[in-house]
Amino acid sequence: MLAHAFRFVERVRFRVGEGNLRSRQAMEKIGGVARQELRERPPMGPHVIYEITKDNFAANPYWRD
């Protein structure tokens, strides 16, 4: 899905719940960088914004065969 997205955009952002540690770890594993800590957005509650850029995605060994 990210490979397809990067055909059209330079960066992808994800909202991850503050307390969702598994998803936060997964985001970091695939090259996501926390850009904004703890944003309130009712009714979702506090979350962290993660960003993956096209360059980070291409350089991440997780995506290589």
Side-chain angles (χ1 to χ4, degrees):
M1 186 168 69
L2 285 171
H4 177 74
F6 286 129
R7 292 174 52 205
F8 305 100
V9 298
E10 294 295 319
R11 70 189 73 244
V12 177
R13 292 188 178 139
F14 297 86
R15 266 187 291 209
V16 180
E18 171 192 17
N20 190 340
L21 299 181
R22 281 189 151 184
S23 290
R24 291 180 69 177
Q25 289 171 342
M27 286 303 309
E28 292 169 10
K29 182 176 180 179
I30 65 171
V33 177
R35 291 295 181 201
Q36 297 176 353
E37 292 290 331
L38 304 182
R39 305 283 280 189
E40 277 296 326
R41 187 166 205 158
M44 295 170 50
H47 59 273
V48 179
I49 304 295
Y50 281 88
E51 178 180 272
I52 300 176
T53 64
K54 186 185 279 191
D55 291 339
N56 286 356
F57 177 76
N60 190 329
Y62 182 79
W63 298 110
R64 295 187 192 138
D65 291 328

